[in-house]
Amino acid sequence: GGTGVIGLGLVYSASSAWGKLRSMPLPAFASTATPVFDAQECKRLAALDRAGVADRTLVVFTSDNGTTHEGRADPRFHVGGADPKFFGSAGGLRGYKGSVYEGGLRVPMIARWPGVTGEGLECETPVVSTDLYPTLLAAAGASLAPEIASALDGVNLRPAFEDPAASLERDSLYF
């Protein structure tokens, strides 16, 4: 077979345990849900191993934007109501979701691409979600016509996955 590409999503069953978790105060819920989420991702990775495709499958885990800010009293403006100070989810960076400061834009991304990504490597190169499209195409062994590829805002992240010190061929980031 060819190269497989999957996206990881969080899927919960409609069990009574989920209802119990969801009724907890947010800090308790988040600290309880994280190990559940981690366990689910381990099951997905194990399923790739059992299927014999883990060695040729790119797995990406990321978020869409920075941490949400504290909720406001006005219910028409609810943005999540998390406690960013408690969780430290902005990592000390200024700003929250919806701002142009790093705390509103910077999110973690974890990638596992056997034979490409090295274990425990960290890359400081700024990337953007539009980079995932050309990266996933490359992982699948697909290519675009040059006139289409040149019109994309995103770039293939493989060079940065292979060597965290590598620079990506782009003039600027668009988001």
Side-chain angles (χ1 to χ4, degrees):
T3 301
V5 179
I6 66 164
L8 299 180
L10 182 57
V11 179
Y12 285 105
S13 67
S15 68
S16 60
W18 170 244
K20 184 176 181 181
L21 281 176
R22 197 62 189 116
S23 66
M24 293 178 168
L26 188 59
F29 167 73
S31 63
T32 304
T34 300
V36 171
F37 178 75
D38 289 347
Q40 292 301 316
E41 297 316 315
C42 287
K43 287 180 184 178
R44 286 183 177 88
L45 296 176
L48 293 173
D49 288 334
R50 284 191 308 276
V53 297
D55 63 332
R56 61 180 194 269
T57 303
L58 167 59
V59 178
V60 177
F61 178 75
T62 190
S63 180
D64 62 342
N65 51 25
T67 186
T68 187
H69 37 90
E70 298 167 281
R72 297 185 179 168
D74 184 345
R76 294 174 297 165
F77 188 77
H78 179 68
V79 293
D83 187 344
K85 291 176 185 73
F86 176 83
F87 291 112
S89 53
L93 300 172
R94 180 180 179 187
Y96 300 109
K97 183 181 288 198
S99 77
V100 294
Y101 295 113
E102 276 189 285
L105 301 173
R106 194 179 266 209
V107 297
M109 180 173 77
I110 301 169
R112 185 184 83 165
W113 190 353
V116 177
T117 56
E119 187 174 328
L121 296 179
E122 291 185 28
C123 180
E124 294 292 325
T125 302
V127 301
V128 66
S129 60
T130 54
D131 293 333
L132 291 176
Y133 180 60
T135 305
L136 295 173
L137 285 174
S143 61
L144 294 170
E147 64 274 10
I148 296 172
S150 66
L152 295 178
D153 289 332
V155 299
N156 183 354
L157 296 176
R158 184 177 181 137
F161 286 165
E162 291 175 325
D163 176 9
S167 63
L168 299 174
E169 295 183 30
R170 74 162 116 232
D171 295 326
S172 57
L173 288 174
Y174 297 94
F175 50 89

